Amino acid sequence: MLRELYYMFLPYRSMFFPFFVASGVAVCVWFAVRFFQHRTRRQPISFGREILLLIGVVYIAGLASATLTPNRSSRMVAAGRGGIELRPNLAALTCSSGGLPDGSRARGFCVRNAQGNVALFFPLGILIPLVWRRLRVRKALMIVVAVSFGIELLQYLSSALGSYRAVDVNDFILNVFGASLGLAVVYLVREGFGIRPSLSRA
């Protein structure tokens, strides 16, 4: 079991160090900001909400480190640039192209990329309605789209500086899909427990 988990995360090992650095800095800054706010406003502290916000800070730091740090993979370095793809590609989204036979490296890369993009944004879909409890579904989706688009835009701008980051509309679609799954989970759980949903259908 542990070996399977190890091999599952092995392709993403290059992200661990940037994640710990970004998270450490973000958490320190966050504690300083929240301490100053509570000292000046003298409002009662809700530990549940503070923990939730702290999780959000760590997640945003991890998201930034995973998507904005330079990509030095041999694939991108050999191409000399990150590249840009503005045409949706069903084969890239489903990894079902006939040109990607089972067990091939290209197919394995495609599957890891698709799974990674969905999993990376799934927590965002959960955190948004938990942090902003009265936020409507439409506005939550707008935030998801804005975050994913902003990341792709920053990747495009950073590619000019040699980050080798690829800008891909298929990644954008997978990101939004992953976050939408997170939103759906929160809504369904609230419905199942009979809790008045903070996300309305309007």
Side-chain angles (χ1 to χ4, degrees):
M1 181 65 179
L2 292 177
R3 180 177 296 180
E4 292 178 358
L5 288 173
Y6 172 76
Y7 284 122
M8 182 176 66
F9 287 103
L10 191 60
Y12 309 103
R13 62 187 182 278
S14 62
M15 300 180 183
F16 292 160
F17 180 72
F19 167 74
F20 287 121
V21 172
S23 298
V25 173
V27 168
C28 291
V29 172
W30 177 253
F31 273 124
V33 170
R34 295 301 287 173
F35 178 77
F36 177 77
Q37 288 179 340
H38 286 299
R39 284 291 300 273
T40 54
R41 298 177 183 178
R42 298 189 179 280
Q43 295 178 344
I45 297 176
S46 171
F47 287 102
R49 181 165 178 78
E50 291 300 323
I51 292 174
L52 179 63
L53 291 175
L54 182 60
I55 292 173
V57 169
V58 173
Y59 169 74
I60 293 299
L63 182 64
S65 66
T67 58
L68 300 179
T69 53
N71 187 352
R72 300 297 180 182
S73 69
S74 57
R75 180 187 298 268
M76 295 303 180
V77 174
R81 58 185 176 81
I84 181 170
E85 178 58 60
L86 299 178
R87 180 180 301 177
N89 188 330
L90 184 60
L93 293 172
T94 62
C95 302
S96 59
S97 172
L100 298 175
D102 291 338
S104 67
R105 289 186 177 181
R107 183 178 179 83
F109 175 82
C110 180
V111 171
R112 289 195 302 271
N113 181 70
Q115 292 176 343
N117 276 292
V118 172
L120 192 63
F121 270 67
F122 181 78
L124 181 64
I126 293 178
L127 286 169
I128 287 176
L130 293 181
V131 173
W132 294 289
R133 297 181 179 180
R134 298 183 180 277
L135 198 65
R136 297 176 183 270
V137 174
R138 182 174 56 186
K139 291 185 177 180
L141 287 173
M142 289 174 62
I143 293 175
V144 168
V145 170
V147 171
S148 183
F149 178 80
I151 288 174
E152 295 297 323
L153 178 61
L154 289 174
Q155 287 179 336
Y156 174 74
L157 296 175
S158 66
S159 65
L161 302 176
S163 68
Y164 297 100
R165 278 290 179 179
V167 179
D168 195 338
V169 68
N170 300 293
D171 290 348
F172 171 81
I173 294 172
L174 291 169
N175 292 159
V176 174
F177 175 70
S180 298
L181 288 178
L183 288 170
V185 167
V186 174
Y187 180 79
L188 291 175
V189 168
R190 285 173 172 170
E191 283 289 304
F193 282 93
I195 302 173
R196 183 178 179 180
S198 301
L199 299 176
S200 67
R201 297 178 182 177

